[in-house]
Amino acid sequence: MENIIIDPTVYTGRPADCSGRLEKEIECYDFLDGLNISYISVDHLPANTIPACEQAEELLGVKICKNLFLCNRQQTDFYLLIMDGEKIFKTKDLSKQIGSSRLSFANADAMEKYLNITPGSVSVLGLLF
């Protein structure tokens, strides 16, 4: 198991003390709370692999999904792929399914520009931004 630094505190909903947290994190809490969506979370450093997420899976009692931010070769089309963490991602299979050749992982600048996120923190919540 690949270890990441993780705080073992499991939060049900927004942490009571949000001081020192990023504005975009608080905006996610506001969005989820505004829709009355319940959620649990843990704090951890960026996790770039599914094995790195195993500790979070254990603490939360859930299976973590693979979240990939991809782009075409020209960097004109971007895709957020969310899939079972156990499955192997094959670029050529997805490229064929969506009719886009030469897919690759989007760079950090594109992640920041389009999803307001950094590598290791790709999430569907990035679509808020």
Side-chain angles (χ1 to χ4, degrees), residues 101-114:
S101 63
R102 308 235 179 164
L103 286 178
S104 63
F105 293 101
N107 63 34
D109 290 339
M111 294 172 120
E112 184 71 33
K113 178 179 178 180
Y114 294 112

Side-chain angles (χ1 to χ4, degrees), residues 15-80:
D17 181 8
C18 285
S19 60
R21 294 186 179 269
L22 298 174
E23 183 179 325
K24 58 187 166 186
E25 179 182 355
I26 295 169
E27 288 177 35
C28 288
Y29 297 142
D30 292 342
F31 177 77
L32 294 170
D33 293 345
L35 294 175
N36 293 317
I37 296 174
S38 60
Y39 53 94
I40 57 175
S41 64
V42 293
D43 291 333
H44 61 83
L45 291 179
N48 295 311
T49 65
I50 291 298
C53 296
E54 288 177 358
Q55 293 172 280
E57 283 183 341
E58 290 174 21
L59 286 168
L60 296 171
V62 299
K63 292 300 288 176
I64 301 293
C65 293
K66 221 176 258 188
N67 300 295
L68 308 173
F69 190 50
L70 308 165
C71 64
N72 64 354
R73 186 167 130 171
Q74 300 80 10
Q75 296 187 16
T76 55
D77 295 323
F78 293 86
Y79 307 90
L80 177 60

